[in-house]
Amino acid sequence: MALPKAYEAGKYEKDIYNLWEKSGLFIADPDSSKPHFSMAMPPPNETGTLHVGHALFLTLQDIIARWQRQKGRDVLWLPGTDHAALATNAIIEKKLAEQGTDKHNIGREEFIKLVKEFVGNSRDTINAQIRAMGASVDWSRGRYTLDEALNRTVNEVFVKMYKDGLIYRGHRIVNWDPKSETTVSDDEVVHKEEKAPFYTLQYGPFKIGTARPETKFGDKYVVMHPSDKRYAQYKHGDTFEAEWINGKVKATVIKDEAVDPAFGTGVMTITPWHDRTDFEIAERHGLEKEQIIGFDARLLPIAGEFSGQTIEKARPKILAKLKARGLLVKEDDYAHNVALNDRGKGVIEPQIKLQWFVDVNRPAVDWKGQRLSLREVMRAVIEDGDIKILPKRFEKVYYYWIDNLRDWCISRQIWWGHQVPVWYKGKKLYVGVTPPKGQGWRRDPDTLDTWFSSALWTWSTLIDQELALDYSLSLDDLLKRSIDFKTYHPTDVMETGWDILFFWVARMILATTYATGQVPFKTVYLHGLVRTEAGKKMSKSDPETIVDPTSVIPKYGTDALRLALVAGTTAGNDQRLGMSKIMANRNFANKLWNIARYIQDVENNGGEIIPKSPADHWILNRLSIFSQQLDKALTGFRFSEAYDLLYHFVWDDFADWYVEASKVEPNAGVLNRVLESTLKLAHPFVPFITEAIWQNLGQKSLLAAELWPEITQSDKAKARQFEQLMKIISEARQIATNIGVSKPALLYQGSELIEANEELVRRLGRLGKVEPTDKRQGIRLTGTKATAWLDIDQQRAKSYLDKLKDQVRDRESKVKMLDGRLANKAYVARAPKKLVQDTKNQLTEERDWLETLNSELKNFEKSLQQ
């Protein structure tokens, strides 16, 4: 079938994906004799549609999966979606608020019904978009974090950790979000810097500082550093009376090294219920803790006349009272960080609450013959090389997080998610995978942190889903009897964003090493964030900054978007993306299409593929080198480098040189072989257009099923001959263009290479004629061993030489001026930073241009002298 003049992605992409899916090509086979490769997709949240960040990871992972199949491996790329407890819960609560109601009015059962309806629709949308991105995933193994089988594994791990003493229930300080009415983990708290008043208050003989006077009602401990000489007269445990907000209080002196003597007066009162540092001080010294602010963010009766008021309403009144009692010493402005819930942006109020925690410090895990804590195992697998993190610099970030890791609060006061597998009856407590027998048991209403279930993703998804419903089997039995788990775990690669290194990657390491005795993956590749063309973060509040895959694909095609995402992406570094980048990469896809259209029109008589001309040998040699370099780049996860190799081979080597050379002496066999190999090598990057070309060329197989190409052998000596011809052609073009002449003659002496390829040199060099000569005349070509000249008038050549010299002098003057400006210390110190940087950038550009001009001048002078 003849290829149409233009490639219209919308006419091909959906049909091509259906063709792949129906073929069963993406379905992994654990019984295959091929080497196995596995990779788990980071499950997108079922909260709407995919964004450009999803498009990036789908592209990179699809490149990996398709390349691994080409290398002859059985590939399992397992897809799935996440129930996204906090995010989904927030969406439904917002919808209810818009309807004038809330979850408490409709009840838990109706709330969960609404959530299921919402996520069901969202899941269908997301899966359709994953297909639209060309993701070659195994849909037969699609998973959902709230599947019954996965829910069982969550419960199993909870029970196992509880029995091993790694999960406990206790009163500890947590991050409480009054807006969402739930706790959130440390990693889900973000900080926003803002200016706020800082108050100095008189507390007995001490001056103390606070930004939150509304929390001070219960203060009865004053804390100072043990070595602070200013307060040496006060002993630990001393007491004194102090006038305070609602009258006199009896206060106790506490000495603790947590106090920074350099901050403020070096003395502070503590509010153990509402500050983590204060809580830890109170724990060390066995101090009382009293709640001042309720879980609804209103003051409690201890606040006296302010009881029941919100913080915003009460604070100015409290300050007025402090001032009236002579206790407000002064007020200053200072910058501080406000803690917010990353989901919903509710202001965090630290609270002491009875919650479920994972103990990360207890030595309770057997790992390689040692008894280690979860924290120690998480460090050991990286230090011992069981898991490699790319880029390596993120190892330091990972270790820093581990070193500052606190016990993980895993219970949430929301209704959507995995419910805590604990039941209560009076003072009895039952922890189990299935409910206890008997009447009167009440299940814990809390759900588990989403990351607790996501932490099991690489292996819970590989458990036999039917066997998992047989509760007579233990977790160990399930692992031993699940073929997929035994075949595909540990997974080979975890490709994800650097921003969830702690949220997810670290927790997968924590949970998987504990539950299975294996690491979850062998290599972690962390990609960067996708930003706007100007380098800003894409924001929903500014729709113009967002590149939406759902709108880009219908207009430009999936392949253009994929290439734009791969171009310039490097491990751990953010990248910029805009419509100009996508349009530029659509041009690359069109170039591939046009190459195929040309080759399809070349008469092909079939038969053995035999390279004949130097160009044939050169392109086969270049193809061989490119294939090896591409394979090496992909092995090292250097996606941008791999794309650059592909781009330059297709655009420069194949299109600009070999296709043009073939118009002089076409070799249909080599043309088709190079095209077929190129389509195979390009396929992981641009799967749709390459498959469309493959099918239109009448191939009986699927390109997606083809192996990495074997390259036809070539004669390297003959390939080097074509490289010499390329130098002659390129230099002739450049000189003619620079001087401004059209189709000059090329004269040569004693060159068998030029003589044998006169027509090739003439056509590709855009020359009037190519012929031997006995005379030396014109401008000598200096970049080749051959003796050749362009027949150009010397006067015209010297005129151009003078022009070059003028340009060099002009650039030298500009460089000198900019150098002088930057050497002026006053200018650098006083001028706006942007202006100074612009000057530096301009100097770099001028120097680069001057270097280019000097090089051209040197070569041109040399050519005139010969």
Side-chain angles (χ1 to χ4, degrees):
M1 183 187 299
L3 289 168
K5 186 175 181 179
Y7 173 66
E8 297 180 57
K11 291 183 178 181
Y12 296 93
E13 291 185 352
K14 189 172 183 180
D15 289 341
I16 286 174
Y17 196 91
N18 289 338
L19 191 65
W20 290 331
E21 196 170 346
K22 288 176 182 177
S23 74
L25 173 65
F26 303 154
I27 298 176
D29 179 9
D31 296 325
S32 172
S33 60
K34 299 176 181 178
H36 302 289
F37 175 89
S38 59
M39 177 171 59
M41 174 190 293
N45 290 345
E46 291 189 341
T47 53
T49 59
L50 298 184
H51 53 66
V52 74
H54 295 116
L56 174 60
F57 86 66
L58 288 169
T59 297
L60 297 181
Q61 290 172 35
D62 191 50
I63 289 171
I64 294 170
R66 290 178 186 271
W67 170 63
Q68 288 290 342
R69 288 192 196 95
Q70 289 179 321
K71 301 300 288 183
R73 296 182 176 96
D74 164 55
V75 173
L76 169 58
W77 182 16
L78 190 144
T81 50
D82 195 319
H83 66 283
L86 276 175
T88 309
N89 193 84
I91 289 171
I92 301 303
E93 288 208 48
K94 183 179 179 181
K95 289 179 180 291
L96 291 174
E98 290 169 353
Q99 297 167 14
T101 186
D102 59 36
K103 66 180 183 182
H104 301 294
N105 286 327
I106 67 171
R108 185 167 192 151
E109 185 176 340
E110 181 62 23
F111 182 84
I112 291 176
K113 180 181 176 183
L114 290 173
V115 175
K116 285 183 176 179
E117 181 180 344
F118 169 77
V119 299
N121 294 332
S122 181
R123 187 184 313 161
D124 291 342
T125 300
I126 287 172
N127 286 342
Q129 291 171 337
I130 291 173
R131 286 179 168 89
M133 282 301 302
S136 56
V137 298
D138 185 344
W139 290 108
S140 71
R141 289 174 168 85
R143 301 288 186 257
Y144 174 48
T145 50
L146 273 180
D147 285 342
E148 186 175 349
L150 271 66
N151 184 60
R152 181 191 169 174
T153 61
V154 169
N155 292 338
E156 290 276 8
V157 172
F158 184 99
V159 173
K160 177 177 168 62
M161 295 183 84
Y162 177 78
K163 290 179 178 178
D164 286 346
L166 291 173
I167 283 182
Y168 66 91
R169 191 174 186 232
H171 286 90
R172 296 185 64 82
I173 199 156
V174 296
N175 303 304
W176 177 257
D177 179 1
K179 180 181 176 182
S180 299
E181 300 178 299
T182 184
T183 58
V184 296
S185 71
D186 291 343
D187 295 320
E188 289 166 324
V189 175
V190 295
H191 293 88
K192 178 183 178 183
E193 185 176 296
E194 64 177 36
K195 287 187 177 180
F198 186 79
Y199 309 100
T200 301
L201 308 177
Q202 192 69 45
Y203 188 81
F206 304 103
K207 289 180 173 57
I208 62 163
T210 184
R212 305 192 64 201
E214 65 275 3
T215 66
K216 310 311 287 181
F217 290 96
D219 286 7
K220 51 187 175 183
Y221 303 104
V222 61
V223 190
M224 59 202 67
H225 198 280
S227 60
D228 194 332
K229 294 180 181 179
R230 291 172 296 177
Y231 306 108
Q233 72 269 34
Y234 298 100
K235 306 301 180 187
H236 180 81
D238 285 354
T239 60
F240 62 92
E241 278 196 345
E243 288 291 336
W244 201 221
I245 308 172
N246 287 332
K248 289 185 178 181
V249 295
K250 183 180 179 181
T252 302
V253 173
I254 301 295
K255 300 276 186 159
D256 194 282
E257 292 182 354
V259 179
D260 180 5
F263 181 76
T265 61
V267 178
M268 65 182 193
T269 55
I270 59 171
T271 311
W273 201 285
H274 298 288
D275 183 272
R276 190 179 298 276
T277 301
D278 295 0
F279 174 83
E280 291 170 353
I281 292 172
E283 286 284 282
R284 281 195 290 274
H285 299 283
L287 309 180
E288 295 179 6
K289 310 174 188 74
E290 191 164 7
Q291 188 173 8
I292 313 299
I293 300 169
F295 292 103
D296 60 356
R298 294 177 181 273
L299 292 170
L300 295 174
I302 189 174
E305 72 260 36
F306 308 108
S307 176
Q309 295 183 23
T310 64
I311 293 169
E312 291 75 15
K313 186 176 180 180
R315 182 178 292 177
K317 297 177 183 177
I318 295 168
L319 289 167
K321 187 172 183 179
L322 284 165
K323 187 174 183 180
R325 292 179 63 84
L327 301 175
L328 178 60
V329 177
K330 64 175 180 175
E331 179 180 331
D332 301 296
D333 284 335
Y334 89 122
H336 74 130
N337 288 320
V338 178
L340 304 172
N341 178 0
D342 193 33
R343 301 289 185 181
K345 306 305 179 187
V347 177
I348 295 297
E349 178 62 62
Q351 294 275 15
I352 295 176
K353 193 170 178 62
L354 182 62
Q355 293 289 279
W356 290 99
F357 295 87
V358 171
D359 189 333
V360 297
N361 295 301
R362 179 173 178 169
V365 185
D366 293 320
W367 183 257
K368 293 184 178 180
Q370 300 180 73
R371 192 74 167 167
L372 303 175
S373 68
L374 292 170
R375 182 207 296 265
E376 290 169 331
V377 174
M378 292 168 74
R379 175 179 276 274
V381 296
I382 306 298
E383 289 180 336
D384 295 346
D386 298 303
I387 298 175
K388 180 170 67 174
I389 296 178
L390 298 175
K392 189 174 176 61
R393 71 175 185 273
F394 274 90
E395 286 184 8
K396 291 182 179 179
V397 182
Y398 175 85
Y399 291 143
Y400 178 82
W401 179 79
I402 290 175
D403 292 342
N404 291 277
L405 186 61
R406 291 194 276 266
D407 286 357
W408 175 15
C409 178
I410 56 172
S411 44
R412 300 288 177 268
Q413 290 64 57
I414 56 178
W415 291 345
W416 179 242
H418 296 273
Q419 196 166 349
V420 174
V422 177
W423 286 261
Y424 309 98
K425 184 164 68 173
K427 293 184 178 181
K428 293 181 180 180
L429 177 148
Y430 174 83
V431 179
V433 177
T434 55
K437 296 178 181 179
Q439 301 295 317
W441 290 96
R442 178 183 60 85
R443 188 167 185 176
D444 194 313
D446 286 356
T447 53
L448 292 167
D449 180 3
T450 302
W451 299 107
F452 187 86
S453 58
S454 297
L456 317 181
W457 183 247
T458 64
W459 64 270
S460 63
T461 52
L462 298 176
I463 294 289
D464 187 298
Q465 303 294 287
E466 292 185 8
L467 284 178
L469 305 184
D470 182 354
Y471 285 85
S472 67
L473 297 174
S474 68
L475 179 59
D476 286 341
D477 289 335
L478 288 175
L479 293 173
K480 290 174 183 176
R481 294 175 61 176
S482 294
I483 304 300
D484 277 0
F485 174 78
K486 291 194 293 183
T487 304
Y488 297 112
H489 204 271
T491 58
D492 290 274
V493 176
M494 171 50 61
E495 192 287 326
T496 190
W498 63 259
D499 55 325
I500 57 172
L501 175 61
F502 312 133
F503 286 114
W504 192 40
V505 174
R507 287 191 166 93
M508 281 191 284
I509 295 172
L510 177 154
T512 304
T513 51
Y514 166 75
T516 71
Q518 298 178 356
V519 293
F521 27 70
K522 299 166 189 173
T523 299
V524 178
Y525 176 89
L526 301 171
H527 65 247
L529 305 180
V530 183
R531 298 185 177 275
T532 67
E533 282 184 296
K536 296 181 179 178
K537 185 177 181 180
M538 292 188 185
S539 170
K540 290 181 180 178
S541 62
D542 186 3
E544 290 186 3
T545 68
I546 295 177
V547 175
D548 181 3
T550 61
S551 61
V552 168
I553 290 173
K555 190 171 183 180
Y556 299 102
T558 300
D559 293 324
L561 175 59
R562 287 169 62 115
L563 288 176
L565 288 164
V566 175
T569 186
T570 54
N573 294 323
D574 295 351
Q575 64 162 304
R576 300 184 182 193
L577 179 69
M579 298 312 300
S580 60
K581 193 176 180 185
I582 294 169
M583 288 187 284
N585 282 284
R586 180 184 58 176
N587 294 339
F588 175 80
N590 290 338
K591 174 65 75 171
L592 199 57
W593 184 263
N594 290 333
I595 291 172
R597 286 184 65 240
Y598 163 74
I599 293 174
Q600 193 178 46
D601 290 339
V602 176
E603 185 177 349
N604 189 357
N605 297 320
E608 191 176 355
I609 297 165
I610 303 174
K612 300 173 184 177
S613 68
D616 292 342
H617 288 281
W618 175 81
I619 193 62
L620 290 171
N621 184 54
R622 289 297 305 148
L623 180 61
S624 177
I625 294 170
F626 161 55
S627 174
Q628 294 173 45
Q629 290 176 330
L630 182 63
D631 193 50
K632 188 176 181 180
L634 290 175
T635 299
F637 299 92
R638 299 190 299 275
F639 297 102
S640 181
E641 179 185 327
Y643 169 72
D644 284 343
L645 290 166
L646 173 65
Y647 181 94
H648 289 295
F649 176 79
V650 170
W651 202 288
D652 300 340
D653 297 344
F654 197 6
D656 285 357
W657 283 107
Y658 184 64
V659 166
E660 292 305 312
S662 73
K663 293 176 182 178
V664 178
E665 189 178 352
N667 185 331
V670 173
L671 278 165
N672 278 281
R673 175 56 60 87
V674 175
L675 175 60
E676 290 171 10
S677 298
T678 301
L679 292 174
K680 292 175 184 178
L681 297 170
H683 181 72
F685 300 86
V686 281
F688 286 112
I689 192 169
T690 51
E691 187 73 72
I693 294 171
W694 187 265
Q695 296 303 320
N696 274 277
L697 292 177
Q699 299 285 354
K700 294 180 180 179
S701 64
L702 285 172
L703 176 60
E706 290 289 313
L707 295 176
W708 197 255
E710 293 183 10
I711 311 303
T712 301
Q713 292 297 311
S714 62
D715 186 324
K716 292 184 179 179
K718 291 182 178 179
R720 286 193 291 271
Q721 287 181 357
F722 188 72
E723 289 174 356
Q724 287 300 311
L725 292 169
M726 290 169 65
K727 289 179 180 179
I728 294 168
I729 292 164
S730 297
E731 189 174 357
R733 284 180 184 174
Q734 184 179 10
I735 292 173
T737 300
N738 289 345
I739 295 179
V741 296
S742 177
K743 292 189 175 183
L746 179 79
L747 309 176
Y748 67 90
Q749 282 183 355
S751 174
E752 294 180 3
L753 181 62
I754 296 178
E755 183 179 2
N757 296 277
E758 282 187 357
E759 182 60 15
L760 176 73
V761 173
R762 186 188 69 79
R763 290 186 59 170
L764 270 63
R766 303 168 194 146
L767 303 166
K769 60 182 178 179
V770 176
E771 58 185 22
T773 184
D774 294 329
K775 299 179 181 179
R776 289 173 175 258
Q777 63 184 60
I779 299 176
R780 171 72 187 272
L781 302 189
T782 62
T784 174
K785 295 177 181 178
T787 305
W789 300 264
L790 277 184
D791 190 11
I792 295 175
D793 178 74
Q794 288 287 314
Q795 186 175 351
R796 187 165 191 171
K798 288 180 180 178
S799 174
Y800 176 70
L801 181 63
D802 292 338
K803 181 180 176 183
L804 266 180
K805 289 178 178 178
D806 287 342
Q807 289 179 353
V808 166
R809 283 192 289 269
D810 182 53
R811 296 292 166 181
E812 285 175 339
S813 175
K814 287 184 178 179
V815 167
K816 185 177 180 181
M817 180 268 291
L818 293 169
D819 259 331
R821 186 180 298 172
L822 290 172
N824 185 337
K825 293 181 180 180
Y827 168 77
V828 173
R830 297 172 186 171
K833 289 183 179 179
K834 186 178 183 305
L835 183 59
V836 174
Q837 186 59 50
D838 287 346
T839 304
K840 290 179 180 178
N841 293 342
Q842 187 181 355
L843 177 59
T844 300
E845 290 175 7
E846 293 293 342
R847 280 176 171 164
D848 289 344
W849 186 236
L850 178 60
E851 184 179 350
T852 301
L853 286 172
N854 275 322
S855 176
E856 185 179 345
L857 178 61
K858 182 179 178 181
N859 289 334
F860 202 73
E861 285 178 329
K862 184 179 178 182
S863 67
L864 286 177
Q865 293 168 5
Q866 299 185 43

